[in-house]
Amino acid sequence: MTIGVVEGKSEAANLTDIHGHWAEQTVSQMVQQGLLDGFPDGTFRPDDSVTADQFVKIVVLAFTDMYPNGERKWKSSFIQSLSSSNQSILQQDFRDFTFKPNIVGYWAKPYLDLASDLHFISKGQFSDYKAKLKREDVAEILYYLLKETEYLEDEVYSLKAASQFGDLQSATPRQQKFIGEAMTKGIMEGYPNGYFGVGRYVTRAEALQIITRLQTKAKRIPITTGSEAFIKVVPTKDGSYKKLIFPDQRMLQAYVVMEEAGKLRGTNYDLEETTLRLFRDAEAKSQSMSGATAEARNSNEASLWLDPQFSTYGVTLRLEEGTLARNKESIRKFTDFLFGYDADIFYRHFTDACERAAAKKVLETTTKQIGSYSVETRLEPDGKTLIFSFIYS
């Protein structure tokens, strides 16, 4: 990659090999922003392959504004999109970041260090950052970038949408997840032959086209889910967000009610994706959230949950003294919404099962029809965890 050649409008106007190219306007705009340079001979070489280090540089600079004096500053929208921890990293560890390549040593090191610390890439993601970048590699970078700056799409839907590509199965399951995200976000698309282009190198022009869609949502390719009314962006375990597509209005409303049910416990709850965990008190919540073992992390005393993929709802309860009393109001709010006129019938079944299981430590798995739901009641082998699953029928 060339560094420090003529930048901005003058360079874009003097490039000799972009006139008439399908990406002429995009290349011209992006070169004016200083995202990718031309070569000393006056060419841009739009159809040459982009390398990993070049693409990371473009990604980093895409979130900046360049001023007439050549100085750069982070876009305020970019800073606001980051988690508090990433904002802290940017403002403290990289407060002296110059947005410029190294003039001694590997030119791309500043960009790679920053992208790695913000979790856009991992240091070992590519064995050679000077290597040409394949389309699935670009999709991987976009996946983690979007996870940190926006939210992830519904994975089940994304994979289904991406299945239209004739070559999707030639990618690994992990790569398919990345491809589905990039495609559903409207940032990458396939070729006229119906293929995504797995294994195909990304050109310099294509890289800039991808970045324009990353920068400007209005330029993204609209993807219609057919279920726009049943979408919600939910928090994930790692503190970011993802989009979920619910099968119907009932489950979307149930999710909202579940959120409200958590608030009835003050701050003694945690909502991750589609599971609401309820804790005994603040200390128990703190120990679970920072738990070093799986047992500590799963020490909540009750859970309300739903599963959009299998259209299932549920309540999980640990049979310990005071658990039911502390969580009764939250459980009832959730189940009253689901069972409606049959809510009292369900709750009698629920409390009876809790009492019998607590007394005997044994309970036969049963399935019972209550209103419009098939209710399965199951006691785990530990004799302490009671699970109620509801399937709408």
Side-chain angles (χ1 to χ4, degrees), residues 173-191:
R174 183 169 178 270
Q175 291 169 340
Q176 290 177 25
K177 177 177 70 174
F178 303 145
I179 292 168
E181 179 70 22
M183 180 244 184
T184 310
K185 265 287 192 285
I187 298 175
M188 296 183 75
E189 61 182 328
Y191 291 98

Side-chain angles (χ1 to χ4, degrees), residues 237 270 272 277 279 282-300:
K237 185 175 182 179
D270 178 60
E272 292 177 1
R277 299 196 299 159
F279 300 93
E283 182 181 356
K285 177 182 176 181
S286 177
Q287 290 177 350
S288 176
M289 301 297 284
S290 59
T293 65
E295 183 179 0
R297 290 190 294 272
N298 296 321
S299 61
N300 55 293

Side-chain angles (χ1 to χ4, degrees), residues 123-141:
K123 281 287 180 65
Q125 188 166 333
F126 301 100
S127 58
D128 180 6
Y129 276 87
K130 299 182 185 66
K132 298 176 182 178
L133 209 55
K134 295 179 179 178
R135 285 176 59 79
E136 57 270 28
D137 296 327
V138 167
E140 180 175 357
I141 293 174

Side-chain angles (χ1 to χ4, degrees), residues 84-371:
S84 57
S85 61
N86 268 357
Q87 287 185 27
S88 178
I89 289 171
L90 198 66
Q91 293 165 353
Q92 294 181 29
D93 298 349
F94 290 92
R95 60 183 176 276
D96 297 323
F97 191 70
T98 65
F99 305 100
K100 296 178 180 178
N102 266 357
I103 58 175
V104 176
Y106 182 27
W107 71 265
K109 187 178 186 302
Y111 307 111
L112 299 178
D113 285 345
L114 184 141
S116 175
D117 283 8
L118 294 182
H119 312 292
F120 297 169
I121 61 170
S122 61
K123 281 287 180 65
Q125 188 166 333
F126 301 100
S127 58
D128 180 6
Y129 276 87
K130 299 182 185 66
K132 298 176 182 178
L133 209 55
K134 295 179 179 178
R135 285 176 59 79
E136 57 270 28
D137 296 327
V138 167
E140 180 175 357
I141 293 174
L142 291 174
Y143 179 93
Y144 290 107
L145 175 66
L146 292 165
K147 182 178 180 181
E148 297 296 333
T149 59
E150 296 185 20
Y151 56 82
L152 296 179
E153 297 291 321
D154 182 281
E155 187 173 316
V156 173
Y157 171 75
S158 293
L159 288 173
K160 182 178 179 181
S163 65
Q164 65 179 272
F165 295 130
D167 59 343
L168 186 68
Q169 295 306 313
S170 63
T172 67
R174 183 169 178 270
Q175 291 169 340
Q176 290 177 25
K177 177 177 70 174
F178 303 145
I179 292 168
E181 179 70 22
M183 180 244 184
T184 310
K185 265 287 192 285
I187 298 175
M188 296 183 75
E189 61 182 328
Y191 291 98
N193 64 359
Y195 281 35
F196 176 76
V198 176
R200 181 169 173 168
Y201 292 117
V202 177
T203 68
R204 286 161 58 86
E206 288 174 333
L208 294 183
Q209 182 68 53
I210 288 168
I211 293 301
T212 62
R213 294 172 184 158
L214 178 66
Q215 285 181 317
T216 309
K217 292 183 180 179
K219 294 183 178 181
R220 296 185 185 181
I221 304 162
I223 303 294
T224 303
T225 67
S227 306
E228 282 75 10
F230 312 134
I231 290 176
K232 191 168 180 65
V233 176
V234 303
T236 60
K237 185 175 182 179
D238 58 8
S240 57
Y241 294 88
K242 68 183 294 185
K243 180 191 285 185
L244 286 181
I245 300 178
F246 295 90
D248 51 38
Q249 185 66 31
R250 179 195 313 275
M251 183 165 280
L252 177 58
Q253 290 179 328
Y255 184 92
V256 174
V257 172
M258 188 173 73
E259 286 181 296
E260 296 170 351
K263 295 174 183 177
L264 295 175
R265 288 298 316 278
T267 59
N268 299 325
Y269 74 93
D270 178 60
L271 181 61
E272 292 177 1
E273 297 192 17
T274 57
T275 299
L276 174 74
R277 299 196 299 159
L278 306 173
F279 300 93
R280 179 187 181 94
D281 50 32
E283 182 181 356
K285 177 182 176 181
S286 177
Q287 290 177 350
S288 176
M289 301 297 284
S290 59
T293 65
E295 183 179 0
R297 290 190 294 272
N298 296 321
S299 61
N300 55 293
E301 57 183 15
S303 296
L304 309 179
W305 50 270
L306 45 85
D307 189 327
Q309 186 175 358
F310 297 102
S311 299
T312 304
Y313 310 80
V315 175
T316 300
L317 191 76
R318 289 185 66 80
L319 300 173
E320 297 175 348
E321 177 136 12
T323 295
L324 188 54
R326 280 187 293 275
N327 297 287
K328 177 181 178 180
E329 192 177 4
S330 296
I331 293 171
R332 286 231 60 165
K333 184 173 185 65
F334 184 56
T335 57
D336 283 2
F337 168 78
L338 292 174
F339 289 93
Y341 292 116
D342 301 299
D344 287 339
I345 297 174
F346 166 76
Y347 200 71
R348 285 197 295 272
H349 167 75
F350 175 80
T351 54
D352 177 64
C354 290
E355 291 170 0
R356 287 188 289 116
K360 299 181 179 180
K361 306 299 181 185
V362 175
L363 189 72
E364 182 181 350
T365 299
T366 62
T367 301
K368 181 178 181 178
Q369 190 72 28
I370 300 179

Side-chain angles (χ1 to χ4, degrees), residues 17-70:
D17 60 345
I18 65 170
H19 303 299
H21 192 275
W22 66 266
E24 178 180 355
Q25 183 177 4
T26 297
V27 171
S28 179
Q29 291 173 347
M30 293 293 144
V31 169
Q32 287 179 32
Q33 294 182 35
L35 299 192
L36 192 59
D37 307 326
F39 291 87
D41 63 0
T43 63
F44 181 77
R45 305 175 196 174
D47 296 321
D48 281 6
S49 299
V50 72
T51 57
D53 50 13
Q54 289 174 349
F55 190 77
V56 171
K57 177 204 171 186
I58 303 170
V59 165
V60 169
L61 296 186
F63 294 111
T64 68
D65 288 316
M66 186 171 71
Y67 296 92
N69 64 358

